[in-house]
Amino acid sequence: MAWSEGRERDKWIGRGGEALDRALLEQAISRVRDRGWSLVLRSDAQVRFEGAVARLPLTGATGDLASDVTEAARALSLEGYEPAEIEPAATYDVRIITAPVFGEDSQPALLLSLYQLPRQLSGATVEQYRNRLMTAAERVTARLGGCTPTAT
């Protein structure tokens, strides 16, 4: 969503409902777009949400399972989810780092992700992982004939 514009982005944000802090989400989206990658820190609510989604079948989800996902999603908070800064000396419990691979239209075609990293990483180590991931995403974008969007 970070590279979407206007109505498409507004529609996506609107699906979060009233419980969602729209300003906080807008800040996170802008931050991801500006820096070109995303970092999600581990939280109990986030782990519960991923577990609820993982239990959903590809088709024919029961009301109970869908309800579990909805309840887990409502418990999510954006506070600390996508930190604004990475301090090299600080410690982070990273859930996932992602970077987009862009297609010919300068829109994300897929995401490369680093998942299940060691716990309690220093900010300097997080930056090393991020740099390697960004290099890989740039290479895959080039190999696919994609175009990284220019800053606006």
Side-chain angles (χ1 to χ4, degrees), residues 56-115:
L56 282 177
L58 293 176
T59 59
T62 65
D64 288 344
L65 289 176
S67 180
D68 290 348
V69 171
T70 300
E71 287 177 31
R74 285 189 179 129
L76 290 173
S77 169
L78 291 174
E79 293 291 340
Y81 183 83
E82 178 77 47
E85 301 292 329
I86 304 297
E87 298 294 329
T91 301
Y92 299 91
D93 193 4
V94 176
R95 185 78 174 148
I96 190 168
I97 305 172
T98 61
V101 171
F102 294 98
E104 292 176 359
D105 60 356
S106 297
Q107 290 296 308
L110 58 105
L111 291 176
L112 297 184
S113 301
L114 297 177
Y115 192 69

Side-chain angles (χ1 to χ4, degrees), residues 2-4 9 20 30 39 72 75 77 89 91 93 104-105 107 114-115 119 123 125 130 132 142 144 148 150:
W3 285 267
S4 297
R9 189 162 153 177
L20 182 70
S30 293
L39 169 72
S77 169
T91 301
D93 193 4
E104 292 176 359
D105 60 356
Q107 290 296 308
L114 297 177
Y115 192 69
R119 290 191 174 220
T125 301
R130 179 214 49 219
R132 292 176 73 186
L144 295 177
T148 302
T150 56

